[in-house]
């Protein structure tokens, strides 16, 4: 069984094309976008789940790595 997700764990998003969006969604009863980061090809974002961010949406071709594994979005 995997470890439960911890707010101190990082996940990595590597953009495989220009204009990939990494969108943070708010924690709590009101689920909405609170931040969008635009990555160009080859750019990497390291981020965590925090008291403000409970979910992340990735739009565009990207490689996403978490402690649970790796997924390619294409
Ligand atoms: N200010 C945001 C927060 O502390 C920054 C952030 C953390 C974020 N993880 C993210 C933004 C993931 C977008 C996606 O929660």
């Amino acid at each position: 069984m995997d470890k439960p997700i911890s707010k101190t764990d990082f996940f990595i998003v590597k953009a495989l094309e220009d204009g990939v969006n990494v969108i943070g969604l708010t924690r709590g009863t009101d689920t909405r976008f609170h931040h969008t980061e635009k990555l160009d090809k080859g750019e990497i974002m390291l981020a965590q789940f925090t008291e403000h961010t409970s979910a992340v949406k990735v739009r565009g071709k990207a490689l996403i790595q978490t402690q649970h594994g790796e997924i390619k979005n294409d």
Side-chain angles (χ1 to χ4, degrees):
M1 191 71 168
D2 288 331
K3 291 188 288 168
I5 202 148
S6 152
K7 288 183 190 167
T8 59
D9 290 325
F10 281 83
F11 61 90
I12 297 170
V13 181
K14 179 179 181 187
L16 301 178
E17 66 180 1
D18 287 347
V20 169
N21 285 299
V22 180
I23 303 161
L25 289 96
T26 54
R27 190 175 292 281
T29 48
D30 179 23
T31 306
R32 57 182 168 72
F33 291 5
H34 69 74
H35 184 90
T36 300
E37 197 65 39
K38 201 163 230 172
L39 306 180
D40 283 333
K41 189 172 182 173
E43 287 187 318
I44 290 172
M45 181 170 172
L46 292 93
Q48 292 168 299
F49 290 96
T50 68
E51 61 177 304
H52 305 295
T53 305
S54 67
V56 174
K57 175 171 173 173
V58 178
R59 202 178 259 161
K61 277 182 80 172
L63 179 66
I64 301 153
Q65 294 179 320
T66 74
Q67 66 178 123
H68 302 283
E70 184 176 290
I71 191 163
K72 209 178 201 176
N73 181 4
D74 53 11

